[in-house]
Amino acid sequence: MDSPLIAAVRRFNRTVTQRVGALDDEYMARGRPLAQARLLWEIGPGGAEVAALRVRLGLDSGYLSRLLRTLESDGLVTVGPAEQAGDQRVRTAVLTAAGRAEWAELDKRSDELAWSILAPLTEARRERLVAAMAEVERLLVASMVVIEPCPPGDPRARACVRAYARDVGRRFDDGFDPALSNPVRDEELVPPAGVFLLATLNAEPVGCGAVKLHPGAPAEIKRVWVSDTVRGLGIGRRMLGELERYAAERGWTTVRLDTNRNLTEAIAMYRAAGYREVEPYNTEPYAHHWFAKDLAPVGP
Amino acid sequence: MDSPLIAAVRRFNRTVTQRVGALDDEYMARGRPLAQARLLWEIGPGGAEVAALRVRLGLDSGYLSRLLRTLESDGLVTVGPAEQAGDQRVRTAVLTAAGRAEWAELDKRSDELAWSILAPLTEARRERLVAAMAEVERLLVASMVVIEPCPPGDPRARACVRAYARDVGRRFDDGFDPALSNPVRDEELVPPAGVFLLATLNAEPVGCGAVKLHPGAPAEIKRVWVSDTVRGLGIGRRMLGELERYAAERGWTTVRLDTNRNLTEAIAMYRAAGYREVEPYNTEPYAHHWFAKDLAPVGP
DNA sequence: CCATATACCTGACTTTAGTCAGGCTTACCG
DNA sequence: CGGTAAGCCTGACTAAAGTCAGGTATATGG
């Protein structure tokens, strides 16, 4: 641990989260219980599914239901069946006219709070504050991304793999058809055969990566993808590192991967991470470059 | 209002206060009710007076008493008469050995929380995050400073004026004896004759300034001082602006002030704020420069 | 020395937040 | 088509947070 850095973070936590946080709550609440105000805010003018609200606010299912009933009886919200008429169990909360008015008020107050922070400063200091805030926010987001193993069949994992296919499809010279690519079966990405890692930000999937631990052969990295909402924050690099660590801890001493010539940033990242280009080791039709890296042995 | 700036501040508020703030609370609490943990933390290894705790934590007197009783019955705190044996009503809370151990634990966890934010980042990003945090913190402090009228007899005002005399005494060639300087009587700094403005940060005085509204003559600015804990944040400039505004709103079209040749930053600030040097308009023994500024007429 | 204010305390209370068990309806899987 | 799971709901509960109205002892100002 690096103590001057830690001391600086602690000072920041104290000043900012305590003072600004308290102000924020006060502005938000407007006499109403804070949980209700937050819920109203989170529903928003476009409405939201109950399940999504539960995740976003991190609330108990029963508690959320009760909060919704309260807002309903205050005439601010109506909860009805999902809009798209798919799953009939899913319910959607929508703001009434009164609810939208209340939401607009919260929006206005949120603006006012922000302005009350900027107003006392000179033009130049405002610019500096905002620039520094943006930097802090970006880097905090980077540090809030969690990378964890996840079953490849999990809906969030599936969503990432679909997003991966869509993204690379746009980049490859003639699109990407998973059926033509060398197949990756789910069982290969479940321990002990391999692992699928999911990167999440506030429980939302924002990236993935997988490694196959081929017995008696180098481990193989597949499906490294990072959502463009968090690109440029070093998540790809971290994902790569986690996958390498997973393989190294289980005794593999080499990892390799293949990639397409159009994914130039990915190629640059592999090189920067210590990968060297090697001869083709498979017949993946979409691949133009093959890379390998030797891993330092690690205790499990 | 400047909407891209406001939007950036709002994003920051959301990400930082909500997410980091929540983490902070969780780390702090350790199973104990948050209010108790915060109180224990605030008492600190050196102990604290009950009244000070009430102010710092913003708690109801009865609620605080009850929290102290709980910590006492848990053997973490003892509340006794004030250390300095002055006012016998004042009581001081002191940590017991167990309480100090608990405090050290909180301190450790606070370090861990800070580290948990830094750990996922690369070295370079850590440095950038800490630098940006320091910048945000500084500028937020600047924006949290409140400038308000205050009776010149208020203890906080007196403390500022004493600090002012001490500071300039160190800078002047042969010290500063208020008795030799042109006197400023309290009544001259009370509306409608004039005003004394106090700058506070979290209710602590950190600066002052005054203006005398001489009937039929230019208004006169006196006693502009800023604590060195908040120097370099534009507080002096703001104070000057507020004093000018006060005079302008009441119909004065010129303000002037005198200053000592050794106060070079102050002189630079006056020039930057649009003051021009004029002939001496008084016989202040400590003054070497006299400045004046014309004010644009303002409605009250 | 008396009236009044201050600092802290106690008891009684309300509101808010959050948890847990179980129940109903709809979806899904073999 | 029957069993199980998912999504949401209700009821019953607890703990924490916070408020308010007095009460006691000490200070303070005339």
Side-chain angles (χ1 to χ4, degrees):
Chain A
M1 297 208 197
D2 192 330
S3 78
L5 293 188
I6 288 182
V9 173
R10 286 184 56 170
R11 260 200 316 281
F12 175 87
N13 283 357
R14 203 181 150 77
T15 309
V16 177
T17 71
Q18 216 106 311
R19 310 277 179 214
V20 180
L23 258 187
D24 204 41
D25 288 352
E26 197 188 312
Y27 264 75
M28 191 58 129
R30 312 213 318 121
R32 192 186 306 283
L34 190 53
Q36 277 178 43
R38 271 209 239 280
L39 175 55
L40 182 72
W41 176 256
E42 209 58 51
I43 292 170
E49 293 187 354
V50 173
L53 293 170
R54 207 164 43 223
V55 171
R56 284 210 293 256
L57 293 164
L59 297 177
D60 173 85
S61 156
Y63 186 28
L64 175 58
S65 262
R66 205 175 326 283
L67 287 172
L68 284 170
R69 289 303 84 68
T70 312
L71 289 178
E72 240 176 354
S73 75
D74 288 357
L76 299 168
V77 164
T78 54
V79 180
E83 290 161 0
Q84 301 302 345
D87 191 329
Q88 285 305 108
R89 294 169 305 181
V90 175
R91 308 236 292 157
T92 305
V94 180
L95 298 181
T96 63
R100 281 194 302 278
E102 186 66 22
W103 189 91
E105 180 65 27
L106 290 178
D107 188 56
K108 203 184 101 210
R109 290 176 69 82
S110 215
D111 270 359
E112 282 168 9
L113 171 60
W115 182 243
S116 79
I117 291 173
L118 292 173
L121 302 179
T122 59
E123 194 73 25
R125 285 196 174 83
R126 278 179 208 159
E127 300 282 350
R128 277 168 49 201
L129 177 57
V130 165
M133 280 181 163
E135 175 97 338
V136 168
E137 196 214 334
R138 259 175 67 82
L139 290 165
L140 276 183
V141 163
S143 110
M144 283 170 5
V145 170
V146 175
I147 296 179
E148 282 172 328
C150 169
D154 185 290
R156 295 169 306 166
R158 294 273 188 242
C160 281
V161 173
R162 269 197 307 277
Y164 162 81
R166 187 169 8 89
D167 273 18
V168 298
R170 275 202 285 267
R171 305 286 304 272
F172 289 2
D173 291 323
D174 26 68
F176 176 65
D177 178 357
L180 302 179
S181 175
N182 286 355
V184 181
R185 286 168 299 116
D186 281 357
E187 313 86 78
E188 296 180 293
L189 307 183
V190 174
V195 75
F196 185 93
L197 298 184
L198 186 70
T200 54
L201 174 61
N202 304 320
E204 296 285 313
V206 293
C208 66
V211 63
K212 292 200 262 184
L213 301 179
H214 297 293
E220 188 183 4
I221 287 180
K222 303 291 292 179
R223 303 202 186 302
V224 173
W225 170 79
V226 174
S227 157
D228 49 18
T229 57
V230 294
R231 237 163 248 178
L233 298 176
I235 308 300
R237 187 68 172 268
R238 257 174 76 196
M239 177 60 76
L240 210 52
E242 293 290 329
L243 294 169
E244 291 166 7
R245 195 158 64 86
Y246 191 89
E249 281 176 354
R250 280 153 191 80
W252 270 254
T253 55
T254 309
V255 285
R256 52 192 189 182
L257 54 85
D258 61 65
T259 191
N260 184 278
R261 66 182 158 216
N262 291 351
L263 302 179
T264 50
E265 324 84 75
I267 291 172
M269 178 178 80
Y270 297 140
R271 289 194 197 282
Y275 284 75
R276 60 181 199 286
E277 190 151 6
V278 295
E279 290 300 302
Y281 61 84
N282 67 12
T283 57
E284 167 61 44
Y286 290 105
H288 302 101
H289 299 279
W290 289 258
F291 288 94
K293 179 180 180 178
D294 294 324
L295 304 175
V298 189
Chain B
M1 297 207 194
D2 192 329
S3 78
L5 293 187
I6 288 184
V9 173
R10 286 183 55 170
R11 260 200 315 280
F12 175 87
N13 283 358
R14 204 180 149 77
T15 308
V16 175
T17 70
Q18 217 111 308
R19 312 286 177 204
V20 181
L23 256 187
D24 204 40
D25 289 353
E26 196 189 313
Y27 265 76
M28 191 58 128
R30 313 212 316 121
R32 192 186 304 285
L34 189 55
Q36 276 178 45
R38 269 209 240 281
L39 175 55
L40 182 72
W41 175 255
E42 208 59 51
I43 293 170
E49 293 188 354
V50 173
L53 294 169
R54 208 162 43 224
V55 171
R56 284 210 293 255
L57 293 164
L59 296 177
D60 173 86
S61 156
Y63 186 27
L64 176 57
S65 261
R66 203 176 325 284
L67 287 172
L68 283 170
R69 288 304 84 67
T70 312
L71 289 178
E72 239 176 355
S73 74
D74 288 356
L76 299 168
V77 163
T78 54
V79 180
E83 289 162 0
Q84 301 303 345
D87 191 329
Q88 285 305 107
R89 294 169 305 180
V90 174
R91 307 237 290 157
T92 305
V94 180
L95 297 181
T96 62
R100 280 194 302 277
E102 186 66 22
W103 188 90
E105 180 64 26
L106 289 179
D107 189 56
K108 204 185 100 211
R109 289 178 68 85
S110 213
D111 270 0
E112 283 168 9
L113 170 60
W115 182 244
S116 78
I117 291 172
L118 293 173
L121 302 178
T122 58
E123 194 73 25
R125 285 197 175 84
R126 277 178 208 160
E127 301 281 351
R128 278 168 48 201
L129 177 57
V130 165
M133 280 180 163
E135 175 96 339
V136 168
E137 196 211 333
R138 256 175 68 82
L139 290 165
L140 276 183
V141 163
S143 111
M144 283 171 4
V145 170
V146 175
I147 296 180
E148 283 172 327
C150 169
D154 185 290
R156 295 169 306 165
R158 294 275 188 241
C160 281
V161 173
R162 269 197 307 278
Y164 162 82
R166 187 169 9 89
D167 273 18
V168 298
R170 274 202 287 266
R171 306 285 305 271
F172 290 2
D173 292 322
D174 27 67
F176 175 65
D177 179 356
L180 302 179
S181 174
N182 286 354
V184 180
R185 285 169 300 116
D186 281 357
E187 312 87 78
E188 296 180 293
L189 306 184
V190 174
V195 74
F196 186 93
L197 298 183
L198 186 69
T200 53
L201 174 62
N202 303 321
E204 295 285 312
V206 292
C208 66
V211 63
K212 294 200 262 183
L213 300 179
H214 297 294
E220 188 184 5
I221 287 179
K222 302 292 290 180
R223 303 200 185 303
V224 173
W225 171 78
V226 175
S227 157
D228 48 19
T229 58
V230 294
R231 239 162 246 176
L233 297 175
I235 308 299
R237 187 69 171 270
R238 257 174 76 195
M239 177 60 76
L240 210 52
E242 294 289 329
L243 293 169
E244 291 165 8
R245 194 159 64 86
Y246 191 89
E249 281 176 355
R250 280 153 190 81
W252 270 254
T253 55
T254 309
V255 285
R256 54 194 188 181
L257 54 85
D258 61 65
T259 192
N260 185 280
R261 65 182 160 217
N262 291 349
L263 302 180
T264 50
E265 323 84 74
I267 291 172
M269 179 177 80
Y270 297 140
R271 289 193 197 282
Y275 284 75
R276 62 184 196 285
E277 190 151 5
V278 296
E279 290 301 301
Y281 60 84
N282 66 13
T283 56
E284 167 62 43
Y286 289 105
H288 302 101
H289 298 279
W290 288 259
F291 288 93
K293 178 180 180 178
D294 294 325
L295 304 176
V298 188

